[in-house]
Amino acid sequence: MSSKIAVLPGDGIGPEVIAQALRVLEAVCPSVVFEHALVGGAAYDAVGTPLPDETLALCKASDAVLLGAVGGPKWDKLEPVSMRPEVGALLPLRKELNLFANLRPARLFASLADRSPVKPGPSGPIDLIVVRELTGGIYFGQPRTRTPDGETAVDTCVYSRTEIKRIAEVGFEIASHTRRRKLTCVDKANVLETSRLWREVVSDAAARFPSVALEFMLVDNCAMQLVRDPGQFDVILTENMFGDILSDEAAQISGSLGMLPSASLTTPNQGRSFGMYEPSHGSAPDIAGKGVANPIAAVMSAAMMLRYSLGMPTEAERIERAVELSLREGAATPDLGGTASTSQAGDAILKNLG
Ligand code: NAD
């Protein structure tokens, strides 16, 4: 049976970059079925809610979701807050689809080396992925409160063995099946009890993945090493807040926000787990409609979808190679210092699919 993908282009540059990702997907996997649905401000304008029931139902009935971006000045101040695209669409999608693992790769293509603020260090080329736990930790733990006098505030960091085990398995699966078999678990085990539990559970999980080299690193050291020698990393596995910070730091490596794909997965990865794939950038209202958005983050998100949800790693590599070749040929959008339009960048990727 053909795989079915829910396509949610969303707002601003979302539809522009998703159009290019679909051209590429249709070229490499013509049997996959794509069904479009409304999300974000576009959905609010059409039917009065940023996440219509039909959209959520389509996502749940699909093998994966490909999302553009949501939001924009027209909707970002809507009341009630639950009508705003990010609050009313993205957060419920993540929750309803139980997306607990967030994957953000950061890779520096050789042809973009001079656009990155980070230089390859002693370990050589930069190609890493941050696997971040997305639904636990200090962002969700209770109690979260202020004392009645307003003078003291409390946030609570909570992790259970079950939560750590399932994200550790995602990290190890990715490290062993799709990467270079090195996993760095990042924590603050010299201070935090939750980090010490992470070390225990991650060490146990490692026994089931003997091909993966495991190391532990304190988060402050990792933040420094990402700047000093980012090529040393393959898979960085970490909890919610550390992952939030480190993945933004790593994001700078690739030279532009328009280069960064992301995936959010539900179940441990066996080549076919349900996931939502989206560029890391937003709807970029400042350039929407001008035809200059960089489509690479969306195209690379589509490649991740083939790798992690559709069990098509060869096709994913074909797309990634085509992106690399098109950049080497100079088919770069203005955010990368080039003059290519969104569709010209898409043309170059298509041509290089081989
Ligand atoms: P943004 O990511 O949309 O844009 C930040 C800057 O990066 C802008 O200058 C933009 O032009 C540029 N940029 C982003 N993507 C680009 C691309 N593909 N090619 C070239 N340049 C690109 O962030 P923002 O301006 O803070 O937010 C704009 C809207 O997007 C807001 O409504 C925000 O709520 C929403 N947003 C949505 C998501 C999402 O859907 N996941 C994520 C972040 C922000």
Side-chain angles (χ1 to χ4, degrees), residues 67 78 126 165 190 263 266 273 291 299 319 339:
L67 179 89
L78 281 175
I126 308 169
K165 183 166 175 278
N190 52 344
T266 47
S273 42
V299 170
I319 295 175
T339 55

Short mmCIF file of all heavy atoms in Angstrom, two decimals, residues 67 78 126 165 190 263 266 273 291 299 319 339:
data_model
loop_
_atom_site.label_atom_id
_atom_site.label_comp_id
_atom_site.label_asym_id
_atom_site.label_seq_id
_atom_site.Cartn_x
_atom_site.Cartn_y
_atom_site.Cartn_z
N LEU A 67 4.92 19.84 7.34
CA LEU A 67 4.35 21.15 7.69
C LEU A 67 5.25 22.27 7.20
O LEU A 67 6.48 22.15 7.26
CB LEU A 67 4.24 21.21 9.22
CG LEU A 67 3.68 22.48 9.83
CD1 LEU A 67 2.17 22.39 9.95
CD2 LEU A 67 4.25 22.72 11.21
N LEU A 78 -4.27 37.50 18.08
CA LEU A 78 -5.66 37.09 18.21
C LEU A 78 -6.00 36.74 19.65
O LEU A 78 -5.17 36.21 20.37
CB LEU A 78 -5.94 35.86 17.33
CG LEU A 78 -6.15 36.06 15.83
CD1 LEU A 78 -6.29 34.72 15.14
CD2 LEU A 78 -7.36 36.93 15.57
N ILE A 126 31.52 19.42 9.81
CA ILE A 126 30.46 19.51 10.83
C ILE A 126 29.19 18.87 10.29
O ILE A 126 28.64 19.30 9.27
CB ILE A 126 30.17 20.98 11.18
CG1 ILE A 126 31.47 21.70 11.55
CG2 ILE A 126 29.17 21.06 12.30
CD1 ILE A 126 31.32 23.21 11.66
N LYS A 165 13.98 6.45 28.86
CA LYS A 165 14.27 5.23 28.06
C LYS A 165 13.78 5.41 26.62
O LYS A 165 14.49 5.08 25.67
CB LYS A 165 13.57 4.04 28.74
CG LYS A 165 13.83 2.71 28.07
CD LYS A 165 13.38 1.58 29.00
CE LYS A 165 13.49 0.23 28.36
NZ LYS A 165 12.38 -0.13 27.51
N ASN A 190 26.72 16.56 37.49
CA ASN A 190 27.45 16.96 38.69
C ASN A 190 26.56 17.75 39.65
O ASN A 190 26.91 17.97 40.80
CB ASN A 190 28.70 17.77 38.32
CG ASN A 190 28.40 18.94 37.40
OD1 ASN A 190 27.32 18.99 36.80
ND2 ASN A 190 29.31 19.88 37.28
N ALA A 263 12.56 17.32 12.67
CA ALA A 263 11.57 16.25 12.72
C ALA A 263 11.15 16.09 14.16
O ALA A 263 11.94 16.31 15.08
CB ALA A 263 12.20 14.94 12.24
N THR A 266 7.31 10.07 17.22
CA THR A 266 6.60 9.46 18.34
C THR A 266 7.34 8.26 18.91
O THR A 266 7.68 8.24 20.07
CB THR A 266 5.20 8.96 17.93
OG1 THR A 266 5.33 8.24 16.73
CG2 THR A 266 4.25 10.10 17.78
N SER A 273 8.88 5.37 11.73
CA SER A 273 8.07 5.80 12.86
C SER A 273 7.30 7.05 12.44
O SER A 273 7.77 7.80 11.60
CB SER A 273 8.93 6.08 14.09
OG SER A 273 10.08 6.75 13.73
N GLY A 291 8.98 35.32 -3.42
CA GLY A 291 9.63 34.26 -4.20
C GLY A 291 11.11 34.14 -3.93
O GLY A 291 11.86 33.65 -4.78
N VAL A 299 13.01 21.14 1.96
CA VAL A 299 13.43 19.99 1.15
C VAL A 299 14.17 18.97 2.03
O VAL A 299 13.93 17.76 1.94
CB VAL A 299 14.33 20.47 -0.03
CG1 VAL A 299 14.98 19.29 -0.74
CG2 VAL A 299 13.50 21.30 -1.01
N ILE A 319 18.27 13.08 -2.21
CA ILE A 319 17.85 14.48 -2.05
C ILE A 319 18.96 15.31 -1.41
O ILE A 319 19.29 16.41 -1.87
CB ILE A 319 16.55 14.56 -1.19
CG1 ILE A 319 15.39 13.90 -1.93
CG2 ILE A 319 16.22 16.01 -0.85
CD1 ILE A 319 14.09 13.82 -1.12
N THR A 339 21.46 34.79 -5.73
CA THR A 339 20.39 35.54 -6.39
C THR A 339 19.27 34.62 -6.87
O THR A 339 18.34 35.07 -7.54
CB THR A 339 20.94 36.28 -7.62
OG1 THR A 339 21.59 35.32 -8.47
CG2 THR A 339 21.94 37.36 -7.24
#
